[in-house]
Amino acid sequence: MTATSWTERKLTDVECWLTDMDGVLVHENQAIPGAADLLKHWTQQGQRFLVLTNNSIYTPRDLRARLLASGLEIPEESIWTSALATAEFLRRQRPGGRAFVIGEAGLTTALHDAGLIMTDRDPEYVVLGETRTYSFEAITRAIRLINNGARFIATNPDATGPSTEGVLPATGAVAALITAATNRKPYVVGKPNPMMFRSALNRIDAHSETTAMIGDRMDTDIIAGMEAGLLTLLVHTGITSRKDVGAYPFRPDLTFPSVAELHAELTGAGPDGHGSTDEDQTAAEKSN
């Protein structure tokens, strides 16, 4: 029930790791079994890693505290958000540029640290991120600024976010509203744009040929990892179930039920260190 990936790269070739957060390491603020062991293994082996999230609300310090409460010890410098990727993108595009920002501390802090000037007077950019309290006044101001020539940037394309009472409109939904009013689509920096992955690779001085991406979503984590040239690993503890994979025209290199099984293979407790593909699992089920 094992196979190498089509790239012929194996887990033993991996030197650095990128991993999604929600659905891979945590679920509803609870650590997924095996996540703490996997993080400890990487640290003990001296392997560089980054935890990625499209959530732009929180700073790395905030996220570190939230993860610690879930039982996961992750340094601030090992957390990479869509807000940080957006700030890095704008810093390279236009150092000291001016931006009108809709978002919370995770985004405004990242932009400030990158040297951006936040203003609502003649900004060069309108930057849209996630917030629990979208202001109609701020959205209206963004529409007018974009119509007057400001460039439209969004941290991520996620249309909804979770809450205890159900889904909430998120960055992608509000971006669609602004697009409808301006006829201008945003440049989206976060997943599935491989730009976020490339900035993450630069952050830890990693090379795509020796880096793996672990995700739970085919439509963001896996496609972006594939387009960035990474070894892709899908786990089934989040959004994409095993039966959903066949609907996509691309495949992850390897799949695991969860990071617990990945940790077992990395430490020699698994079958042979090669992981499995969905085709392997399906064939095994048929043989049974």
Side-chain angles (χ1 to χ4, degrees):
M1 198 171 105
T2 60
T4 56
S5 66
W6 67 270
T7 59
E8 297 184 356
R9 286 182 288 177
K10 300 181 290 294
L11 293 179
T12 51
D13 300 323
V14 178
E15 298 175 1
C16 302
W17 296 86
L18 304 181
T19 178
D20 186 37
M21 185 173 72
D22 294 310
V24 177
L25 302 179
V26 293
H27 179 67
E28 295 183 352
N29 297 320
Q30 296 294 319
I32 290 174
D37 293 330
L38 181 62
L39 293 166
K40 183 179 180 180
H41 172 74
W42 289 341
T43 301
Q44 291 176 338
Q45 296 298 311
Q47 292 188 308
R48 301 185 298 280
F49 68 91
L50 275 184
V51 175
L52 274 59
T53 176
N54 260 357
N55 191 316
S56 65
I57 291 179
Y58 303 107
T59 66
R61 181 176 298 177
D62 298 331
L63 289 171
R64 168 176 162 72
R66 291 167 67 90
L67 290 165
L68 193 59
S70 300
L72 300 181
E73 174 70 36
I74 301 175
E76 285 182 45
E77 58 270 20
S78 295
I79 299 173
W80 190 244
T81 70
S82 63
L84 292 170
T86 299
E88 177 63 15
F89 168 75
L90 291 176
R91 184 188 68 80
R92 289 176 175 270
Q93 288 286 304
R94 192 174 293 265
R98 302 185 308 279
F100 175 71
V101 182
I102 298 176
E104 297 197 18
L107 180 57
T108 56
T109 300
L111 293 172
H112 179 270
D113 290 346
L116 275 293
I117 298 168
M118 284 167 274
T119 179
D120 64 352
R121 300 186 63 180
D122 300 320
E124 295 156 300
Y125 298 98
V126 166
V127 182
L128 175 67
E130 191 172 350
T131 173
R132 301 295 188 188
T133 55
Y134 283 107
S135 159
F136 187 77
E137 180 181 358
I139 293 170
T140 300
R141 181 63 175 159
I143 289 169
R144 292 171 179 169
L145 291 170
I146 292 169
N147 280 333
N148 287 335
R151 302 162 183 85
F152 187 16
I153 306 291
T155 57
N156 67 83
D158 303 346
T160 61
S163 79
T164 56
E165 299 177 353
V167 298
L168 291 172
T171 309
V174 178
L177 186 160
I178 295 173
T179 294
T182 61
N183 200 32
R184 295 278 297 280
K185 293 182 178 180
Y187 179 72
V188 181
V189 178
K191 299 179 293 182
N193 188 345
M195 170 72 70
M196 183 169 177
F197 287 62
R198 296 194 182 279
S199 63
L201 291 173
N202 291 337
R203 172 84 170 201
I204 58 174
D205 193 26
H207 193 283
S208 60
E209 287 296 317
T210 53
T211 302
M213 171 65 198
I214 310 169
D216 70 306
R217 295 187 63 140
M218 289 288 289
D219 58 349
T220 55
D221 305 317
I222 300 305
I223 190 171
M226 179 186 70
E227 291 179 350
L230 310 181
L231 183 73
T232 56
L233 286 71
L234 177 71
V235 294
H236 295 307
T237 48
I239 298 297
T240 304
S241 67
R242 190 172 61 193
K243 64 181 178 59
D244 294 331
V245 175
Y248 293 89
F250 52 90
R251 294 287 185 274
D253 291 311
L254 300 170
T255 66
F256 293 89
S258 74
V259 290
E261 287 77 14
L262 170 60
H263 173 256
E265 291 213 5
L266 290 175
T267 57
D272 60 8
H274 292 302
S276 65
T277 66
D278 284 280
E279 288 82 356
D280 295 323
Q281 294 172 359
T282 301
E285 289 173 352
K286 288 180 179 180
S287 68
N288 291 332

